Amino acid sequence: MQRRTQGAETQAWEINDGGTRLTHPLAWCLGWTCPCRPGTVPRLPSSPSLLKAGLGRCPRIVSRSQWGARAPKNRVRLRTPVPFVIIHHTEGNPCTSQASCSRQVRGIQNYHMNSNGWSDIGYNFLIGEDGNVYEGRGWSTMGAHAKNWNHKSLGFSFLGSFSSRVPNNAALNAAKSLIQCAVSKGFLSRSYFLKGHRNVNPTDCPGNALYKVIRQWPRFKA
Ligand SMILES: [Zn+2]
């Protein structure tokens, strides 16, 4: 029997297989269940639908051409897998449709390139409350999102301002799925640590409300 349990703080997959129940509270090994001992090979689910649901699960990613990105002025390759994922908020307006989120992302790219003088939008990916993920610099280009940490992290930023409210479930689920996706694709180490921007640079980012949420996520380390 396979059962998915989802609590406020952790998301765990349980497999009851011939009397052996395996629970992995972190539940991020290959985006599926793992035996509790590190270094052992995770069991793969037998059902194709559960396999599809759990293994290498990736959110819907809106590509640069789909959101109307400008070409980057330069690219520096990121050495992957990186050991850290860093969470931000854009501190801009919220958006709940692909059209409005795309408009936000174009505005952020213009700001980062024109005002900050950067080669491209700073983040690796952005997350909308429409439940979509927007491709920024992507998986293998070094970002400009957290000073001294760009070469060893992926930067994911929630579109909106989350000091006094949390992102909706569509955005939170997309972000969690993006982290699993990064691990399953080999861009993020399986033994990664999750951090908020404020944990590595002097900033309020990603906002008090959102920070309280990600502190409860698997593999968070201040
Ligand atoms: Zn930030």
Side-chain angles (χ1 to χ4, degrees):
M1 185 191 109
Q2 278 109 348
R3 184 162 68 90
R4 185 187 185 195
T5 59
Q6 192 165 15
E9 298 192 349
T10 59
Q11 184 180 352
W13 290 93
E14 292 181 0
I15 289 193
N16 192 334
D17 182 1
T20 309
R21 196 172 84 164
L22 301 170
T23 300
H24 182 61
L26 299 180
W28 302 105
C29 306
L30 289 178
W32 189 252
T33 189
C34 298
C36 296
R37 287 191 311 280
T40 51
V41 177
R43 292 177 62 95
L44 297 182
S46 51
S47 146
S49 63
L50 284 164
L51 184 70
K52 195 177 165 193
L55 182 67
R57 184 176 46 159
C58 293
R60 180 163 182 267
I61 298 178
V62 177
S63 70
R64 293 176 66 95
S65 62
Q66 286 174 309
W67 60 260
R70 291 160 62 184
K73 290 181 194 154
N74 186 31
R75 279 196 186 98
V76 176
R77 193 157 189 87
L78 183 64
R79 275 188 56 188
T80 55
V82 290
F84 298 99
V85 56
I86 298 178
I87 301 294
H88 303 263
H89 67 160
T90 63
E91 271 197 290
N93 292 325
C95 60
T96 52
S97 69
Q98 187 169 330
S100 63
C101 290
S102 294
R103 201 179 313 123
Q104 287 286 328
V105 175
R106 288 194 298 271
I108 293 162
Q109 187 189 32
N110 285 333
Y111 183 78
H112 285 177
M113 293 179 76
N114 301 349
S115 301
N116 295 0
W118 297 346
S119 58
D120 194 2
I121 191 167
Y123 309 112
N124 295 95
F125 290 93
L126 302 95
I127 299 140
E129 290 185 290
D130 61 341
N132 285 322
V133 169
Y134 292 79
E135 181 186 18
R137 296 196 187 190
W139 298 119
S140 5
T141 298
M142 193 186 343
H145 59 92
K147 194 178 177 186
N148 298 328
W149 289 73
N150 293 318
H151 65 288
K152 55 183 176 183
S153 66
L154 289 165
F156 298 167
S157 189
F158 285 83
L159 286 157
S161 193
F162 300 104
S163 298
S164 53
R165 74 171 183 97
V166 297
N168 67 14
N169 281 333
L172 294 173
N173 288 334
K176 287 194 267 192
S177 168
L178 186 64
I179 294 169
Q180 293 193 36
C181 177
V183 173
S184 71
K185 286 178 179 292
F187 296 115
L188 181 62
S189 167
R190 287 175 65 176
S191 52
Y192 75 92
F193 288 109
L194 172 75
K195 288 177 176 289
H197 190 190
R198 62 174 63 181
N199 299 125
V200 299
N201 292 149
T203 171
D204 287 341
C205 184
N208 283 342
L210 175 54
Y211 183 66
K212 277 184 193 160
V213 172
I214 65 162
R215 276 172 65 186
Q216 307 300 323
W217 284 4
R219 309 203 61 76
F220 175 84
K221 191 182 178 191

